[in-house]
Amino acid sequence: MASRTPAAAPRSPQRRRLSVDERREQLIAVALELFSARPPEEVSIDDIAAAAGASRPLVYHYFPGKQAIYEESLRRAGQELAGRFEEPAVGPLSERLYRVMGRYLDFVESHGPGFEALLRGGSVAASPGTNAVIDEVRRAAHDQILAHLALARPSAALRLTVRVWIANAEISSLEWLAAEQRQPREELQLRLVQDFVAALTVTAAREPDPALAQAMVGFLSAERVGSPTGSLVGALAALLAVPGLAEAVGPLLERV
């Protein structure tokens, strides 16, 4: 009887060795995922190494410490967040901003713990580097909102209005994250847009700026029933139906 040749053992697939750039990108991606799920002070180099399937010395080969990888991860997240403020200048202004705030709240919700710790100023990982990243995101948001207003020379008062609204969006979203019973996200999204429309209207009323006043005509003419601005106007009209309110406002209008 002929002897049977033993079957060759199946070869295990060889894992492709990552290049220097690929390994660095992998560590950043893993770290960002961890920092998004937990406050930065609760994430260690060992956590990052384990999640990446790497050794602790390998992480230190690419980054001098946790602060460095945290800042780089945050910089990548900041670039992504800044990009979410980009929106084609098509359609009513409030509908554009509604889409922008939807993407913003998506990001806030998915990166909650890490960004909450940083924006509240309570993170031990906060540094000039991390603060610079947040400032860059705020600057990008400010510039994108002004671009939608399409004014050749935005006044100092208008720029301040936009900055204050961005701060309001940050505070409101962080309070929303911390709430035990969150309001539906769509309600916050709508309120933030309507807050901007209201602030813009008040600025136009206070500011002797013909260009802004004329721009308001264009913004409001493009709005429609059911848009965030349309809903706000409807709510204001309903408020005037409160018994005695129209009579209380009337004399004030006569004095203008």
Side-chain angles (χ1 to χ4, degrees), residues 15-245:
R15 295 179 61 182
R16 186 175 68 86
R17 188 187 184 97
L18 298 178
S19 69
V20 171
D21 290 341
E22 288 173 334
R23 174 62 78 179
R24 189 173 188 276
E25 290 299 314
Q26 182 213 21
L27 291 173
I28 292 170
V30 166
L32 179 56
E33 186 173 345
L34 291 174
F35 289 131
S36 297
R38 290 159 26 207
E41 53 267 31
E42 295 182 8
V43 177
S44 69
I45 287 290
D46 288 334
D47 293 331
I48 296 170
S55 66
R56 180 186 176 93
L58 182 63
V59 178
Y60 278 113
H61 175 74
Y62 286 91
F63 298 94
K66 188 180 82 170
Q67 185 66 29
I69 194 169
Y70 175 61
E71 290 186 10
E72 183 58 35
S73 301
L74 188 65
R75 187 171 295 109
R76 298 298 178 86
Q79 291 170 352
E80 180 188 344
L81 180 55
R84 296 194 181 204
F85 283 90
E86 297 178 4
E87 174 70 24
V90 178
L93 175 65
S94 69
E95 292 183 3
R96 290 181 243 158
L97 294 182
Y98 187 80
R99 291 190 290 271
V100 167
M101 295 316 297
R103 294 193 295 269
Y104 172 80
L105 291 175
D106 278 342
F107 187 91
V108 167
E109 193 168 21
S110 61
H111 296 75
F115 269 77
E116 182 175 9
L118 181 69
L119 291 178
R120 287 191 185 280
S123 172
V124 297
S127 69
T130 59
N131 292 337
V133 171
I134 296 301
D135 287 343
E136 185 61 34
V137 172
R138 289 169 178 155
R139 197 158 37 243
H142 171 269
D143 293 347
Q144 286 293 329
I145 298 302
L146 284 179
H148 281 285
L149 301 181
L151 292 171
R153 295 180 180 176
S155 67
L158 179 57
R159 290 180 178 277
L160 178 60
T161 295
V162 174
R163 286 197 296 271
V164 169
W165 177 72
I166 291 169
N168 174 48
E170 287 181 4
I171 294 169
S172 297
S173 58
L174 289 176
E175 291 300 313
W176 175 69
L177 280 176
E180 291 185 6
Q181 292 186 332
R182 293 183 190 174
Q183 70 179 125
R185 201 196 69 171
E186 292 75 14
E187 290 183 9
L188 176 59
Q189 186 178 345
L190 177 62
R191 179 172 68 77
L192 289 173
V193 174
Q194 291 180 337
D195 284 350
F196 179 79
V197 173
L200 183 63
T201 303
V202 170
T203 301
R206 289 176 175 168
E207 181 79 1
D209 184 350
L212 178 56
Q214 190 58 44
M216 290 296 297
V217 175
F219 301 151
L220 294 175
S221 298
E223 295 290 341
R224 48 197 172 205
V225 175
S227 72
T229 298
S231 299
L232 178 60
V233 171
L236 292 173
L239 182 63
L240 288 175
V242 172
L245 187 58

